[in-house]
Amino acid sequence: MNMENIKTEEEFLENYDSKQYEKPSVTSDILIFTVKEKRLAVLLIKRGAFPFKGRWAIPGGFVQMNETTEETARRELAEETSVKNIYMEQLYTFSDVNRDPRMRIISVAYIAFAPFNKLKHKAGDDAAETKIFYVNYKNGYLSLQDDNENIIKEDDLAFDHAKIIKMAIERIRNKVSYTDIMFEFLNNKDSFTITEVRDIYNAIKDIDTDDGNFRRDIRRKYMTDDTESEIKIIPTDNKYNYEHAGKPASLYKIVKR
Amino acid sequence: MNMENIKTEEEFLENYDSKQYEKPSVTSDILIFTVKEKRLAVLLIKRGAFPFKGRWAIPGGFVQMNETTEETARRELAEETSVKNIYMEQLYTFSDVNRDPRMRIISVAYIAFAPFNKLKHKAGDDAAETKIFYVNYKNGYLSLQDDNENIIKEDDLAFDHAKIIKMAIERIRNKVSYTDIMFEFLNNKDSFTITEVRDIYNAIKDIDTDDGNFRRDIRRKYMTDDTESEIKIIPTDNKYNYEHAGKPASLYKIVKR
DNA sequence: CAAATAGTGTCTTTAAGACAGTATAAC
DNA sequence: GTTATACTGTCTTAAAGACACTATTTG
């Protein structure tokens, strides 16, 4: 059939052959970040098959024909962590021709933020081994560390995953300064202290902000009415459960404006 | 062959069948922005085939097996404009299942910035008609306009391209505030006036900044030594070619620090 | 009481909006 | 001279770093 003679869209669609060209495979990778022990951490999975068998990698999977890349990422997220409805955003699409030795794979990477208490149960349930690694990213060099002081260097990671993790950390560190993403790491959005929020902020940026200034900024952005932020922080009536000496902290909760 | 028995990576690769699953197609779209007549503008192509025949669309093409998505975008860029080596960055990957009525297509969108004098020659050369449209994006609604006052509304664009253009404009407007991208639109980086830079800045943000404040900011960021910017702006010896009354402007050029 | 953590107030620097005023050309 | 554009200086406000100080609990 001659393409020039096709007159209607219906006719066109009937005659279009989507299988005539070779195609790359498409996967979604999901970087699940959390704050553990006042440190930024990421969940990785130990590869059980070649290539890179035994190495640590970002969870991911092939995009099915009936799902968006984000749906693929959420599916993988559910498989690895049993958490749903958490904050997620697209990071970047990686397409180097030889990034996977098996075949041409284009990968759409997503980042997700989960409170640690939602994450810690599932670890080890699955056949595939997962582990949460503390991230250490300074001066352009990344290393990861588990609870037993084992250190994973960039070259120990599978594929181009060191590059992806580094880009993700840069994105998160940047975005925490001008968005509300730090609250996504709170274990309980209906009952938290300002110190908990500051610990998250410090963990992400890997700095030690001045406590007084941090509280002033929180007051300005989230506790007054003349502000642009979408959310508001208000005190709760709950009592703080003292675990140590020192002035007991006030408890707050997040509400939409 | 049983997957369990595969022992080496070489063996694995020999036996991996990348054609066993149905795959989505992958394209790269390239949004070519310029500043024309002191207004932000984008290059679009008139579709010559179904679907959306006769509608305006973002140029794009299928990703070949031996090229990255960025290389695809640069290839399309060269086909439409004959410009090379211009600034380009990845915008976002669009993967809605039914975004293309023909078949499943995942599209990686890129944005590129070109000075208008590099762009204006090629238009009309090709078999496919291209046109540069002024963009008008306010209050969440996009409309496009050509030199003859013809107006293109969101629904007149092909596929989900209105959504993509809107996201691109937001990215550019945001980035112009904290990066040096505005200089990528200069017709001549070795001879320009501060007013030309300001016109570009105003065109992108669709505002009218105070001239004095803009010049002070340029001085601070690009003409002093205690600054973080990668580039520096220094005066040139060239003479200004007067075309009107008024004090003649100084000419500057951009140098790396 | 000391120790520990929570929280406030003040001083300073810097970026940036508003806007008045000056400089140098064409005509 | 007027007009048009280029350019400088000053006042003000807001955000944020540094840091001293106060408050309230445990032990």
Side-chain angles (χ1 to χ4, degrees), chain B residues 64-83:
Chain B
Q64 306 300 313
M65 292 302 278
N66 61 345
E67 64 184 6
T68 65
T69 52
E70 172 159 347
E71 283 163 356
T72 309
R74 286 206 183 271
R75 185 163 55 72
E76 297 295 327
L77 177 73
E79 285 173 16
E80 304 307 339
T81 66
S82 76
V83 295

Side-chain angles (χ1 to χ4, degrees), chain A residues 31 33 40-42 91 111 113 133-138 141-144 154 157 161-176 181 203-206:
Chain A
L31 294 108
F33 285 95
L40 184 64
V42 65
L91 173 67
I111 51 182
F113 303 147
F133 289 92
Y134 302 112
V135 306
N136 202 301
Y137 181 36
K138 276 202 185 86
Y141 192 78
L142 172 75
S143 71
L144 303 168
E154 287 190 17
L157 292 166
H161 288 187
K163 178 181 163 189
I164 298 176
I165 294 170
K166 289 202 275 189
M167 192 184 284
I169 296 171
E170 284 169 17
R171 168 83 65 91
I172 298 170
R173 284 191 178 158
N174 198 30
K175 268 200 134 167
V176 76
I181 57 164
I204 294 172
K205 301 257 275 192
D206 197 19

Side-chain angles (χ1 to χ4, degrees), chain A residues 6-9 12-13 16 18-19 22-26 50-52 62-70 90 92-93 95-97 101-104 106 108, chain B residues 6-9 12-13 16 18-19 22-26 50-52 62-70 90 92-93 95-97 101-104 106 108:
Chain A
I6 295 174
K7 289 284 179 286
T8 70
E9 187 149 340
F12 174 87
L13 289 173
Y16 195 95
S18 85
K19 295 193 178 75
E22 200 183 354
K23 297 170 189 171
S25 298
V26 183
F50 289 108
F52 297 103
F62 289 96
V63 176
Q64 306 301 313
M65 293 302 278
N66 61 345
E67 64 184 4
T68 65
T69 52
E70 172 159 346
Q90 190 181 303
Y92 198 78
T93 297
S95 69
D96 280 0
V97 173
R102 290 170 295 183
M103 54 180 173
R104 181 73 199 282
I106 292 172
V108 186
Chain B
I6 296 174
K7 288 285 178 286
T8 70
E9 186 147 343
F12 174 87
L13 288 173
Y16 194 96
S18 86
K19 295 196 178 73
E22 200 184 354
K23 299 170 188 171
S25 298
V26 183
F50 289 108
F52 296 104
F62 288 96
V63 176
Q64 306 300 313
M65 292 302 278
N66 61 345
E67 64 184 6
T68 65
T69 52
E70 172 159 347
Q90 190 180 304
Y92 198 79
T93 297
S95 70
D96 281 0
V97 174
R102 290 170 294 181
M103 54 180 173
R104 181 74 200 281
I106 291 172
V108 187

Side-chain angles (χ1 to χ4, degrees), chain B residues 202-219:
Chain B
N202 283 342
I204 293 171
K205 300 258 276 192
D206 198 20
I207 54 175
D208 185 24
T209 53
D210 180 87
D211 186 49
N213 292 338
F214 187 83
R215 284 166 194 279
R216 178 197 53 196
D217 293 345
I218 291 287
R219 243 179 286 145

Side-chain angles (χ1 to χ4, degrees), chain A:
Chain A
M1 189 169 186
N2 188 336
M3 293 289 275
E4 295 296 319
N5 292 331
I6 295 174
K7 289 284 179 286
T8 70
E9 187 149 340
E10 293 76 34
E11 252 186 296
F12 174 87
L13 289 173
E14 279 169 22
N15 291 278
Y16 195 95
D17 181 10
S18 85
K19 295 193 178 75
Q20 57 186 322
Y21 301 110
E22 200 183 354
K23 297 170 189 171
S25 298
V26 183
T27 65
S28 280
D29 287 348
I30 175 73
L31 294 108
I32 304 157
F33 285 95
T34 191
V35 173
K36 177 182 177 185
E37 304 285 332
K38 303 188 182 181
R39 295 178 68 182
L40 184 64
V42 65
L43 184 145
L44 297 180
I45 187 165
K46 195 173 198 169
R47 284 188 61 78
F50 289 108
F52 297 103
K53 185 172 178 177
R55 305 273 203 99
W56 292 95
I58 302 161
F62 289 96
V63 176
Q64 306 301 313
M65 293 302 278
N66 61 345
E67 64 184 4
T68 65
T69 52
E70 172 159 346
E71 283 163 357
T72 309
R74 286 206 182 272
R75 185 164 53 75
E76 296 296 328
L77 177 72
E79 286 173 15
E80 305 307 340
T81 67
S82 77
V83 296
K84 290 181 180 179
N85 301 325
I86 63 174
Y87 178 85
M88 197 161 111
E89 70 175 53
Q90 190 181 303
L91 173 67
Y92 198 78
T93 297
F94 297 86
S95 69
D96 280 0
V97 173
N98 294 312
R99 54 185 296 279
D100 190 311
R102 290 170 295 183
M103 54 180 173
R104 181 73 199 282
I105 296 188
I106 292 172
S107 184
V108 186
Y110 285 81
I111 51 182
F113 303 147
F116 181 61
N117 69 350
K118 282 195 185 169
L119 218 49
K120 60 183 172 187
H121 306 299
K122 181 104 174 211
D125 286 16
D126 211 339
E129 189 186 350
T130 63
K131 198 187 269 188
I132 293 169
F133 289 92
Y134 302 112
V135 306
N136 202 301
Y137 181 36
K138 276 202 185 86
N139 309 319
Y141 192 78
L142 172 75
S143 71
L144 303 168
Q145 200 178 336
D146 67 11
D147 282 321
N148 302 321
E149 307 288 322
N150 297 314
I151 292 180
I152 306 284
K153 291 174 179 291
E154 287 190 17
D155 292 344
D156 299 327
L157 292 166
F159 306 105
D160 52 357
H161 288 187
K163 178 181 163 189
I164 298 176
I165 294 170
K166 289 202 275 189
M167 192 184 284
I169 296 171
E170 284 169 17
R171 168 83 65 91
I172 298 170
R173 284 191 178 158
N174 198 30
K175 268 200 134 167
V176 76
S177 303
Y178 65 93
T179 67
D180 306 330
I181 57 164
M182 58 186 172
F183 300 111
E184 301 299 328
F185 292 96
L186 282 171
N187 284 325
N188 186 352
K189 286 189 186 181
D190 291 326
S191 182
F192 58 88
T193 68
I194 303 300
T195 299
E196 282 171 346
V197 179
R198 178 166 163 262
D199 285 342
I200 291 167
Y201 184 89
N202 284 343
I204 294 172
K205 301 257 275 192
D206 197 19
I207 54 176
D208 185 25
T209 53
D210 179 87
D211 186 51
N213 292 337
F214 186 84
R215 285 166 192 280
R216 178 197 53 198
D217 294 344
I218 292 286
R219 243 179 286 145
R220 261 214 289 256
K221 279 186 204 152
Y222 301 110
M223 292 181 177
T224 61
D225 281 336
D226 61 329
T227 171
E228 289 153 18
S229 92
E230 294 290 313
I231 59 170
K232 197 171 176 174
I233 291 177
I234 59 173
T236 68
D237 297 331
N238 302 334
K239 284 183 185 168
Y240 184 78
N241 195 9
Y242 312 112
E243 293 164 339
H244 49 65
K247 179 176 175 178
S250 303
L251 290 170
Y252 298 88
K253 67 175 174 180
I254 292 176
V255 293
K256 306 258 179 197
R257 275 185 198 282

